[in-house]
Amino acid sequence: MGFDSKPSIVILTGAGISAESGLPTFRDNGGLWEQHRMEDVATPEAFQRNPALVQRFYNERRRKLKDVSPNAAHHALVQLENHWSGPLLLVTQNVDDLHARAGSRSLLPMHGELLKARCLECGAVSVWVKDILPESRCPRCGQLGQLRPHIVWFGEMPLEMDRIFTALEGCGLFIAIGTSGTVYPAAGFVNAVPAGARTIEINLEFAIAGSRFDEQRQGTATERVPELVAELLK
Ligand code: BV8
């Protein structure tokens, strides 16, 4: 694809990019939300009401990270970042660590990270690879039993929104990969790019409603993402 100057790229990934690594998505059958109602495990109210259930939901998902690895789609995005001469920002809705483990550097986990805990007492965000338990202590203030997952729940503000919108408003290419486009504000990012920017969606299947993307590439992430990256780097 012919670009004279290399425009800036913003990429948005969702659970679909991690599916082939073995992590369940939210809405495909057998998805995460089927085992739990979202209201029961991914809202501040749920955490107030039943902290043990919420901690268990995230402890289970955090443990699973040890058993999975980045896939060809994650690695292809690292290739793109390493060889694209223009700016590139990878915004992920995923809370797994697969992009980071693949080597992505310009990475913005807008919904938080499973491998971090946040202290309700002092606000510190710490790397946290074990279960969060009632007897867990904050590494900064030492407070007992005040740690929550560093995850953005429904009704909470996603992280670094200003930085994301600045990148969107200046980008020449927006690529969405493996997201159902059901959760806002991420689902609205495609509407924030400048007129004339190229928008591409890679998905296993597309929402019935008409697409707001210039191009839709149907298929699995491990098939379609390396293909697109090869085209862009040609
Ligand atoms: C906000 C972390 C306001 C948690 C997530 C009522 C009450 C409260 C809020 C709302 C409400 N109604 C609407 C809202 C707003 C709400 C929202 O949009 N709700 C939806 C359900 C309608 N949004 C929020 O609450 C957001 N915050 O609005 O704040 C505010 C304003 C001012 C001040 C303060 C606050 C916060 C949203 C963040 C929630 N946290 N994640 C956790 O992970 O446990 S969201 C979670 O679901 C994911 O992070 C992701 O973002 C989201 C959507 O999931 P996807 O990634 O798209 O995955 P999904 O399964 O849906 O789709 C997978 C796709 O992949 C499919 O298309 C599939 O076909 C495809 N696929 C599958 N396999 C493959 C594949 N593609 C390629 N290859 C494959 N192999």
Side-chain angles (χ1 to χ4, degrees):
M1 118 184 171
F3 271 121
D4 31 15
S5 70
K6 290 293 181 200
S8 80
I9 299 179
V10 175
I11 301 162
L12 173 68
T13 59
I17 200 169
S18 298
E20 289 161 274
S21 293
L23 291 179
T25 65
F26 290 86
R27 289 166 184 81
D28 298 330
N29 44 21
L32 278 172
W33 301 130
E34 276 182 8
Q35 280 111 34
H36 300 281
R37 280 169 7 94
M38 169 187 91
E39 295 75 15
D40 296 343
V41 287
T43 65
E45 296 74 24
F47 188 62
Q48 289 298 327
R49 193 172 51 244
N50 190 342
L53 170 71
V54 172
Q55 295 289 19
R56 194 164 58 246
F57 176 62
Y58 288 97
N59 287 343
E60 280 164 14
R61 288 171 67 192
R62 190 179 302 104
R63 270 190 229 132
K64 239 186 108 50
L65 293 181
K66 288 191 288 293
D67 312 334
V68 298
S69 310
N71 63 50
H74 297 104
H75 292 301
L77 294 183
V78 177
Q79 288 307 312
L80 181 59
E81 177 177 6
N82 290 343
H83 298 292
W84 185 256
S85 52
L88 181 145
L89 177 64
L90 171 51
V91 180
T92 187
Q93 302 173 87
N94 301 336
V95 294
D96 63 55
D97 62 340
L98 294 178
H99 282 303
R101 280 167 50 194
S104 287
R105 293 180 313 284
S106 175
L107 176 60
L108 201 165
M110 64 178 287
H111 289 160
E113 299 171 69
L114 274 173
L115 293 181
K116 287 187 177 158
R118 189 189 317 162
C119 179
L120 298 168
E121 184 69 22
C122 74
V125 172
S126 316
V127 171
W128 198 271
V129 295
K130 312 180 296 280
D131 286 0
I132 297 180
L133 301 168
E135 61 271 20
S136 298
R137 269 184 196 287
C138 169
R140 179 150 75 167
C141 73
Q143 189 70 25
L144 207 58
Q146 290 298 307
L147 293 181
R148 63 164 273 182
H150 181 54
I151 296 279
V152 177
W153 286 323
F154 289 93
E156 295 185 324
M157 182 56 86
L159 308 175
E160 300 199 66
M161 290 301 289
D162 293 347
R163 188 168 152 226
I164 295 172
F165 275 100
T166 302
L168 289 168
E169 284 149 15
C171 82
L173 173 57
F174 178 67
I175 307 167
I177 302 167
T179 178
S180 60
T182 40
V183 172
Y184 286 83
F189 288 172
V190 66
N191 303 325
V193 307
R198 186 178 176 200
T199 56
I200 303 172
E201 183 185 13
I202 289 176
N203 215 327
L204 197 57
E205 66 216 18
F206 295 105
I208 304 102
S211 168
R212 297 164 293 180
F213 287 81
D214 303 328
E215 298 168 52
Q216 293 190 310
R217 299 184 177 203
Q218 179 151 21
T220 61
T222 55
E223 208 183 327
R224 291 279 173 261
V225 177
E227 193 181 75
L228 173 59
V229 168
E231 270 175 48
L232 291 172
L233 294 180
K234 204 165 55 212

